[in-house]
Amino acid sequence: MADGLRRLVGAESGRVLQEKLESWYRDYEINSCDQNLNRCCEIIELNSEIQGQLFTILNETSREGGHYAGVETIKTRLLPWLGTCFSCATSGRLFETNLSLTQDSIEKERQLRELASNQTFQLQELQEELTSTRLQLSHVQQDLKTSCAQEKDALRKLDRLNDYEQQIQILRDEISILDAQKSVLQSRFVRSRSPSPRHSESKSPSPLPLRSCSPGRARRTNASRRACLVARFGDIYAQERLDAETLLRTYISDMEMVQRIIYIAAVESFHAAKTAYRQFKIRVRDTLSLGHSGPESLEDTVLDYIVRHEDLYDVQASVNEVIRSMNINPKISFPPEIDFIVISTLIRELCRVAFSMQTLVPPLDVAFGTDGELFSETKYHRSFDSDFTAALVAYHVWPALMENDVVIVKGEAVTKRGALWSRRSRSRSRSRSRSTSPLLAHHLSRSRSPSPLRSGSPRR
């Protein structure tokens, strides 16, 4: 209502009507009949336009008051006036009818103009909202880019800090070794100057056992190493997994088989790395237990040594073990002319990450999953091609990362109705007999078994 009244006041229609009436009154005597009629029609048209606007304001005002507000006023003032207008003499009915038609046409034209004006105004408002939304989206995207850059920068700083700590520890170990060698040389020099034949014939003592001069380093860096390894596990999912998927798609047209191969490769990589870690830890413990002494526990000393010498891990032997396990897995198949060695890059990176995760306290591992298990929202994401109404897992795409029984990183699974039974029927009829490729045999023959302890300064 306020907008309509403001437009009526701004148009100054009442003032224009008054001016036209005064002008007509001054010129009435000197005007001809046609001129006076034209002046009268102009004033009637202007008056009808003002009345139309007033009726519009009346309608909007009564609507703002609700269903029953203003009823008495309309009854006592508006309806009697309208009845008086409709009871005019019938002698001028034809003129009034034509005038009414003219007023209706003018009113419709006015309504169309107002409707067009309102639509234009609404369109401008929508355009302004769209511009504001785009600007907000641009700000959100910029903030997201900034957050991603800051996260990457933090990860790089963690990696750099870990490298600095490793270098410091290496230098401390070298100092400890040099001190031990210095003590041995000094004792030899003293015995060589001694006149006793017994001392001259005695054998030189064995070097002191190499120990870290800052025990418990693995536990102190546990949090930073854990963050880096969890981030690396996510990077493998986002990069190496997709690269392996693209490579396998050139040989296998079945997308489900490709995803099954990658999932089994991830699970077998963690199994092989855990087995290698247990064997490596046993060898290190047996070696260090012979000369262990000091306030730190043997387990802390063993863990510190493994963290500092992870490059002694025979990752190629684990890769070969994973490929051997995949060759006898009945759930997956591969063309006979190609071998699983083509995804050895993915397997190698998974083995390295899995081995390093075993040095954490507590260690990280992947979740155990089977086809047909009940889908868990806390453990897996559904793949985009899944049936979101299905409750059972048809097959897994990527394992979930666990810390004890807590999910650290969600995995990915596919849920489909009836897909599990059709898959079982196909697996019964599949015959999988393949010989090892020459490339795989060459890699298997290169398996190495380095000693867990090395003489002298450790190499990085």
Side-chain angles (χ1 to χ4, degrees):
M1 186 278 294
D3 293 337
L5 183 59
R6 184 174 62 252
R7 288 196 297 268
L8 180 59
V9 173
E12 298 183 352
S13 300
R15 184 178 59 80
V16 174
L17 178 62
Q18 181 65 27
E19 290 177 355
K20 285 184 177 293
L21 286 172
E22 293 175 357
S23 175
W24 185 28
Y25 176 73
R26 289 193 302 268
D27 300 336
Y28 183 82
E29 298 295 337
I30 62 176
N31 288 340
S32 63
C33 180
D34 291 337
Q35 290 175 342
N36 286 329
L37 290 176
N38 287 329
R39 290 287 187 90
C40 185
C41 289
E42 289 179 3
I43 293 173
I44 290 173
E45 291 174 357
L46 181 59
N47 184 52
S48 65
E49 182 178 350
I50 295 174
Q51 284 185 350
Q53 295 178 359
L54 290 174
F55 273 108
T56 301
I57 295 172
L58 178 66
N59 187 25
E60 293 176 354
T61 304
S62 62
R63 200 162 43 225
E64 289 177 356
H67 291 288
Y68 304 104
V71 174
E72 293 298 329
T73 303
I74 293 175
K75 280 183 178 182
T76 57
R77 302 199 60 177
L78 179 63
L79 292 181
W81 176 76
L82 292 177
T84 303
C85 294
F86 291 143
S87 62
C88 293
T90 58
S91 60
R93 187 174 302 278
L94 179 60
F95 175 75
E96 291 176 358
T97 303
N98 293 334
L99 180 60
S100 176
L101 292 176
T102 303
Q103 290 177 349
D104 291 341
S105 177
I106 294 174
E107 180 66 20
K108 289 181 180 179
E109 183 178 357
R110 183 190 61 79
Q111 291 178 355
L112 289 175
R113 287 198 301 268
E114 289 183 355
L115 180 61
S117 177
N118 292 334
Q119 290 178 349
T120 303
F121 180 72
Q122 292 177 358
L123 181 60
Q124 291 177 352
E125 288 184 343
L126 290 176
Q127 289 178 347
E128 291 177 356
E129 291 179 359
L130 180 60
T131 303
S132 176
T133 304
R134 287 177 177 174
L135 183 61
Q136 292 177 359
L137 180 60
S138 177
H139 290 330
V140 171
Q141 291 177 343
Q142 186 65 30
D143 293 340
L144 182 60
K145 290 181 180 178
T146 303
S147 300
C148 292
Q150 291 177 353
E151 183 179 0
K152 291 181 179 178
D153 184 61
L155 291 177
R156 284 196 296 268
K157 289 181 178 179
L158 286 175
D159 292 336
R160 196 177 300 114
L161 178 61
N162 194 19
D163 293 339
Y164 289 158
E165 290 177 349
Q166 291 179 355
Q167 294 176 5
I168 292 174
Q169 188 59 43
I170 291 173
L171 292 175
R172 289 177 176 175
D173 292 342
E174 291 179 352
I175 293 173
S176 177
I177 293 171
L178 292 174
D179 289 339
Q181 293 176 351
K182 178 182 177 181
S183 300
V184 172
L185 292 176
Q186 286 178 346
S187 64
R188 288 180 180 176
F189 178 74
V190 171
R191 284 194 301 270
S192 65
R193 294 172 62 99
S194 175
S196 174
R198 180 181 178 181
H199 286 177
S200 62
E201 294 175 0
S202 63
K203 296 182 180 180
S204 60
S206 59
L208 296 174
L210 304 182
R211 294 189 294 111
S212 171
C213 57
S214 58
R217 174 184 177 276
R219 295 183 181 274
R220 290 197 306 273
T221 62
N222 189 76
S224 61
R225 291 187 297 113
R226 179 183 181 277
C228 293
L229 290 173
V230 171
R232 179 58 185 144
F233 184 78
D235 292 340
I236 294 176
Y237 170 79
Q239 186 61 46
E240 280 84 350
R241 179 187 68 90
L242 295 180
D243 294 342
E245 185 177 289
T246 303
L247 182 60
L248 290 175
R249 289 284 288 174
T250 60
Y251 305 108
I252 304 175
S253 59
D254 186 4
M255 187 61 183
E256 177 181 342
M257 179 57 63
V258 170
Q259 292 176 337
R260 283 179 176 272
I261 290 174
I262 293 176
Y263 172 76
I264 292 176
V267 175
E268 293 293 342
S269 297
F270 267 80
H271 176 71
K274 288 190 295 182
T275 303
Y277 176 80
R278 286 193 295 268
Q279 296 174 354
F280 187 76
K281 186 176 181 180
I282 290 173
R283 292 198 301 269
V284 172
R285 184 188 294 111
D286 293 342
T287 303
L288 294 181
S289 62
L290 299 176
H292 174 71
S293 62
E296 69 277 7
S297 65
L298 178 60
E299 288 298 320
D300 287 344
T301 305
V302 171
L303 186 59
D304 289 346
Y305 180 86
I306 296 176
V307 170
R308 294 196 308 272
H309 302 88
E310 288 187 13
D311 56 332
L312 286 177
Y313 166 47
D314 188 2
V315 65
Q316 185 59 46
S318 295
V319 172
N320 297 338
E321 181 62 30
V322 172
I323 294 176
R324 276 194 294 265
S325 300
M326 294 175 67
N327 282 330
I328 61 176
N329 194 307
K331 292 185 178 181
I332 54 178
S333 61
F334 210 64
E337 66 274 9
I338 304 297
D339 210 296
F340 292 118
I341 196 70
V342 297
I343 59 171
S344 60
T345 301
L346 172 66
I347 298 174
R348 181 176 292 103
E349 293 303 316
L350 284 169
C351 288
R352 286 173 177 169
V353 170
F355 185 88
S356 298
M357 286 181 176
Q358 306 313 302
T359 65
L360 299 177
V361 181
L364 303 183
D365 197 1
V366 292
F368 175 76
T370 58
D371 296 348
E373 68 176 343
L374 187 64
F375 178 78
S376 174
E377 293 284 353
T378 60
K379 189 180 293 185
Y380 298 105
H381 295 290
R382 293 182 193 263
S383 295
F384 70 94
D385 55 346
S386 296
D387 183 355
F388 285 80
T389 62
L392 300 181
V393 175
Y395 63 92
H396 298 80
V397 177
W398 192 253
L401 188 64
M402 310 286 291
E403 185 179 65
N404 293 330
D405 295 330
V406 180
V407 178
I408 303 301
V409 179
K410 282 188 177 182
E412 183 178 348
V414 176
T415 56
K416 290 183 180 179
R417 292 184 179 273
L420 177 62
W421 306 111
S422 61
R423 190 70 203 176
R424 286 180 176 176
S425 62
R426 289 198 300 269
S427 65
R428 292 192 191 99
S429 61
R430 182 187 299 124
S431 175
R432 186 173 182 275
S433 175
R434 301 186 293 109
S435 61
T436 304
S437 66
L439 181 61
L440 176 61
H442 172 69
H443 279 272
L444 294 178
S445 64
R446 295 180 60 189
S447 177
R448 54 190 176 87
S449 300
S451 172
L453 286 175
R454 294 171 292 181
S455 60
S457 176
R459 293 179 291 111
R460 300 301 295 175

